Amino acid sequence: MKKNVLIVDDFEPNLLVLESILEDLPISIIKAVNGEDALRILLNQPIDLILLDIKLPDINGYEVARMIRKHKKSKSMPIIFLSGFVDQEYSEFIEEYSNNIDFFQKPFDSDELRKQVKHYLNHK
Amino acid sequence: MNYEAVVIGASAGGLGALQVLFSNIGNKFKLPVLIVQHLHPESEDYLSQLLKSYSHLRFKEADDKEPIRPGTVYYAPANYHLLVSNDKSMVLNVDEKVNYCRPSVDVLFESAADVYGPHLIGIVLTGSNQDGAAGMAMIKRKGGLTIVQDPKEAEVDAMPRAAIEKVKIDHILSLEKIGKLLTKFY
């Protein structure tokens, strides 16, 4: 069965870039444009991996990730953060939750991102 | 998301790169594309002949004062700068070389950024100089989308690297991925 990958970014061209990078993998790509949208999708369908932009217009990526981790069914779901810069909040986040978390700084190496996505999906 | 035009700069290795890029752009793609390719042979329809076999898009050498039309790929003639004017037509001139080049990628990119602002996509491909880096900075400043060919796969990586060093580029992608991405922006 195809794995479901949720990609979250408020800037549509970035979603299309992620889709272009990942679309030839055997996965279904589901898109969300803000934190609330992402959480609603997570409640309603099984997701195997989330690629999460930090700077979202409503709830920031770390808050979304905290809510994901609080749910039993998603407490070990792999999360790949995507952001233009590494900030203090990331260090705080990984102190709290280090399991299955990764961070790619934009502009990221698309081969590395694909590799990491495949790694997470193969080890679930 | 409403992009209105794409500008592409390429130098050494560019002909092969353009072939790969356009062979990955789907038929429904409608945005006009303007290309500066350094050092291409002077015969007028060389690039069209070359690229036509890889793509269903319409390729033609840019003419002075020619309006920019959707679904068409224009390229600068040898020895002329190609610019975009405010009424979205093209201008050719023989002003001084920029970065030792005419046509110059910076000249095209900066004029296009002025006219299209955030509705422009700028792409720098393989090449052996730094032309295009200043132009990409201008596109970024005006809110447009900046994409650079992954230097790892570029035949000559100096031009993509120069752009990446000068500007916080939005996306660094392989030619195949750039082609697939552009198709989504039709």
Side-chain angles (χ1 to χ4, degrees):
Chain A
M1 212 178 82
K2 277 190 176 179
K3 299 281 173 71
N4 291 329
V5 176
L6 175 62
I7 58 178
V8 190
D9 199 307
D10 61 322
F11 187 51
E12 202 188 343
N14 289 345
L15 289 175
L16 297 180
V17 168
L18 288 170
E19 194 178 53
S20 305
I21 292 171
L22 302 174
E23 67 192 352
D24 55 336
L25 298 175
I27 58 173
S28 295
I29 295 173
I30 300 121
K31 296 184 232 177
V33 292
N34 57 47
E36 202 184 312
D37 207 11
L39 291 169
R40 190 175 42 76
I41 291 167
L42 285 157
L43 282 176
N44 290 323
Q45 57 179 297
I47 297 293
D48 299 289
L49 165 69
I50 175 167
L51 274 63
L52 184 57
D53 180 37
I54 307 269
K55 225 176 110 197
L56 295 170
D58 50 353
I59 322 167
N60 93 17
Y62 298 117
E63 283 309 306
V64 174
R66 284 199 171 86
M67 289 189 227
I68 291 171
R69 281 291 180 263
K70 278 178 189 142
H71 266 85
K72 198 173 164 193
K73 71 168 186 177
S74 58
K75 69 175 196 295
S76 61
M77 178 198 298
I79 300 173
I80 300 178
F81 288 114
L82 306 169
S83 177
F85 48 89
V86 189
D87 55 9
Q88 176 62 27
E89 233 184 316
Y90 178 65
S91 328
E92 289 165 16
F93 187 89
I94 50 165
E95 266 180 39
E96 211 176 331
Y97 307 98
S98 58
N99 192 24
N100 286 345
I101 298 287
D102 209 334
F103 187 103
F104 276 73
Q105 187 168 352
K106 298 178 188 175
F108 44 76
D109 183 319
S110 55
D111 296 332
E112 290 299 318
L113 183 70
R114 278 169 63 88
K115 216 183 282 173
Q116 192 61 337
V117 165
K118 284 197 263 188
H119 167 82
Y120 278 136
L121 294 178
N122 291 335
H123 290 84
K124 264 186 69 77
Chain B
M1 193 182 65
N2 44 353
Y3 291 109
E4 292 177 14
V6 179
V7 287
I8 299 176
S11 184
L15 295 179
L18 289 168
Q19 286 172 8
V20 177
L21 175 64
F22 281 103
S23 65
N24 279 287
I25 294 181
N27 292 343
K28 58 185 179 177
F29 183 71
K30 287 283 181 289
L31 295 180
V33 180
L34 281 72
I35 300 174
V36 161
Q37 158 69 52
H38 296 150
L39 303 171
H40 74 78
E42 290 195 27
S43 84
E44 193 183 305
D45 58 356
Y46 180 79
L47 263 179
S48 334
Q49 292 305 333
L50 187 75
L51 295 174
K52 247 185 347 210
S53 48
Y54 293 88
S55 167
H56 294 277
L57 298 171
R58 194 161 70 241
F59 292 89
K60 80 174 287 295
E61 192 171 87
D63 283 318
D64 192 33
K65 301 192 174 62
E66 184 179 358
I68 296 170
R69 296 189 201 289
T72 310
V73 182
Y74 302 94
Y75 51 89
N79 297 318
Y80 286 88
H81 285 307
L82 169 62
L83 292 85
V84 178
S85 68
N86 286 333
D87 63 356
K88 294 178 184 169
S89 64
M90 293 172 288
V91 174
L92 302 178
N93 73 35
V94 286
D95 285 355
E96 271 180 45
K97 291 183 175 180
V98 174
N99 306 316
Y100 311 102
C101 301
R102 193 177 61 216
S104 149
V105 180
D106 280 342
V107 168
L108 170 64
F109 282 18
E110 287 174 3
S111 70
D114 256 342
V115 173
Y116 290 105
H119 309 296
L120 181 69
I121 301 172
I123 302 173
V124 167
L125 305 179
T126 169
S128 57
N129 54 31
Q130 315 216 327
D131 197 19
M136 288 292 255
M138 175 75 111
I139 292 172
K140 180 89 187 176
R141 204 154 56 237
K142 299 269 180 178
L145 190 70
T146 52
I147 301 170
V148 168
Q149 181 186 8
D150 191 336
K152 289 201 305 285
E153 72 149 34
E155 195 177 320
V156 184
D157 67 3
M159 208 158 100
R161 284 197 194 284
I164 291 165
E165 274 162 31
K166 190 172 174 77
V167 192
K168 189 155 171 60
I169 294 296
D170 295 301
H171 300 289
I172 300 168
L173 296 167
S174 69
L175 293 170
E176 183 203 338
K177 301 293 184 203
I178 296 172
K180 289 186 170 155
L181 175 66
L182 288 180
T183 310
K184 296 175 196 288
F185 288 141
Y186 67 96

